[in-house]
Amino acid sequence: MEGGWQDNRRTGPHKTYRYVENIFEELDTAYEWFLDRDKSVLYVYPPEGVDLSSAVISVTPIERESILRFEGSREQSVKNLCIKGITFSATARTFMKTKEPLLRSDWAIYRNGAVYFKGSEDCQVHRCHFTQLGGNAIFIDGYNQRIDVRSCLIENIGASAVCAVGDTKAVYNGLYKPYGPGVSAKDMIWKRGAKTEDYPRSIQISDNLIFDIGRIEKQSAGVHLSVAYGVSVQHNSIYNVPRAGINISEGAFGGHDIAYNDVFDTVMETNDHGAFNSWGRDRYWWSRGIDLSKRHETVLLDCMKPTTIRNNRWKCEHGWDIDLDDGSSHYIITNNVCLSGGIKLREGFHRIARNNICVGKRGLDFHAWYRNSYDVVSQNIVFAKHHVRKNAMKHWGALIDYNFFAPTAAKDPRFVHIDKHSVTGEPLFLDPKNLDFRIQPDSLAYAVGFQNFDMNGFGVVSSHLRAMAKRPEFDGFPEPEEKEVEPVAFEGMLLRDIENLSDLSATGMGEKKGAWLLEKTSKLDPRWSKLEDFDVIVSLNAQPVNKVKDLIAIAGKLQRGKPIEAEIFRKQKQLKIRLD
């Protein structure tokens, strides 16, 4: 068996799930095939109504990873090409070649696609159809300017639809290990922006219908941006994808405009992610010896201009509708409809979330914020209480106030220092069953400054694509949430079960199991002294710990004075430690 390197987390193959192929005994349903290499015989299970004696069977050569390649340079660029009305199909799979890490994001990449641009300017891909591809549809690699991908149908492909990815060497202080040490003060290069010109800029990705992608590569996206600047992603319909609909790997170099997209049925085969997802593990993140609360210019060294997420409709199945993860900074989030997972803001700087509607089971999700982050969360309509990591949220940005809570949410009395002027009531939407969440003239939401925005402009605009495009389903307003479970005190530790997506994201766990150590107190029993705050204990002496009650039961039977072999999850890694 091979594999385990196909993303940048490099955790190895899953303990249970495997991807296998070419097993004769599994040839039991339509569209499957088996190749007997020894006898040079291809067995095919045809769909109903297909006569194999007259059918055309197409085989993709393993070396055909792209169909059109345009390669120039900044000095001698490929210019003024228009590719229009062509169907691209039958490229080879590239899943086993996605080995190149993209800085500190979770992604690894293979730089190829059915249509590939490098060193190109003023080129267009219009009204093309991409289907039955083994890898990416369109890959915009390194230096490119003004590439326009418009009005295309991209469906049933192995990897991502459109990738615009620069050379990671264009970034100062580029690091690749997602949770490795940050840059020290003495090693920090204080130059702002890019080190070289080897990155896409002024790219237009608009009016594309994208669905059923990532059939083979699960770390994929409808649109993926990394080491790029000023990319416009507008009026796309993206759905039925295994992970993010739109993904941004890091802050380098910002300035993107994400607008009027309809993105739903996302994160269908994974979790702890978003319909829109970003990371911001730039050179400032986890830097050593630099007080970021006083040196804000550090945060903006890579992210030169803010990225705007405006006037979109989002829906995520196993995560957040908008997930600004791990240091994502310099974002303006406004006029978005979030149908399920709400908006998550983990640690970062200079983020504005204003005039958004969150009608699903998650509203506004706050993790750990930096001191003096200048974050503003205001004038939003939410149907769920704030999800707050109580032991990690010690700083609250510039403003969290003037929000509107539906009765299912209400203001949380535990957080008296925020939402002092926020209001609770019925928002009085015009027609929520038909996805019209504009508020009526007598709605109390106007009191906090909320303003209506257009509900008809999401997704593709071309008539031939609109006739095919689906719309998301609204699952209805959530029920009032149950009271949050309080931590359990045991031998000087405050422990809690892993309960929800916020906990999974905060700990890096892949499933809801373990006893989460929130805090060690002054009454700590010495046998637990090697544990750290925020560790998740998953086993003691090879006995599984799925909940806090398991830890208490197992610990009660352990003989004092004898060592304990503990398996824990700490800082995104599973470790074994000896407790004496």
Side-chain angles (χ1 to χ4, degrees), residues 388-545:
V388 178
R389 282 189 60 199
K390 291 181 291 185
N391 291 69
M393 278 298 293
K394 299 176 181 178
H395 312 290
W396 296 90
L399 179 70
I400 305 178
D401 204 352
Y402 298 97
N403 294 297
F404 187 87
F405 295 91
T408 51
K411 292 190 288 186
D412 195 323
R414 294 175 300 172
F415 307 118
V416 295
H417 46 299
I418 62 175
D419 286 308
K420 293 181 179 179
H421 303 93
S422 296
V423 174
T424 300
E426 292 288 351
L428 301 180
F429 293 129
L430 283 172
D431 190 5
K433 290 183 179 180
N434 290 307
L435 300 174
D436 187 348
F437 296 100
R438 290 175 297 167
I439 57 175
Q440 299 176 26
D442 54 343
S443 172
L444 288 174
Y446 288 113
V448 298
F450 180 86
Q451 296 295 317
N452 280 328
F453 54 93
D454 181 32
M455 295 287 158
N456 294 315
F458 308 120
V460 290
V461 294
S462 293
S463 57
H464 73 292
L465 295 178
R466 285 188 71 86
M468 290 186 281
K470 294 182 178 179
R471 299 176 75 206
E473 294 183 359
F474 177 48
D475 300 328
F477 300 117
E479 297 292 328
E481 293 187 358
E482 297 180 3
K483 187 177 180 181
E484 186 175 337
V485 177
E486 292 297 321
V488 174
F490 176 70
E491 296 189 351
M493 299 183 289
L494 290 179
L495 301 161
R496 185 162 73 73
D497 294 339
I498 304 293
E499 296 176 336
N500 52 48
L501 279 168
S502 294
D503 297 346
L504 290 174
S505 179
T507 59
M509 296 285 291
E511 54 187 318
K512 297 176 185 177
K513 68 175 185 179
W516 191 9
L517 173 54
L518 300 179
E519 185 179 355
K520 295 191 294 185
T521 72
S522 58
K523 298 179 180 179
L524 182 71
D525 189 303
R527 63 175 171 167
W528 309 113
S529 59
K530 290 184 180 179
L531 295 174
E532 297 180 4
D533 288 355
F534 306 124
D535 283 350
V536 181
I537 303 119
V538 295
S539 75
L540 294 174
N541 286 353
Q543 298 181 66
V545 175

Side-chain angles (χ1 to χ4, degrees), residues 104 138 140 177 355 413 530:
R104 287 199 281 181
I138 300 169
I140 303 168
K177 194 173 181 180
N355 214 76
K530 290 184 180 179

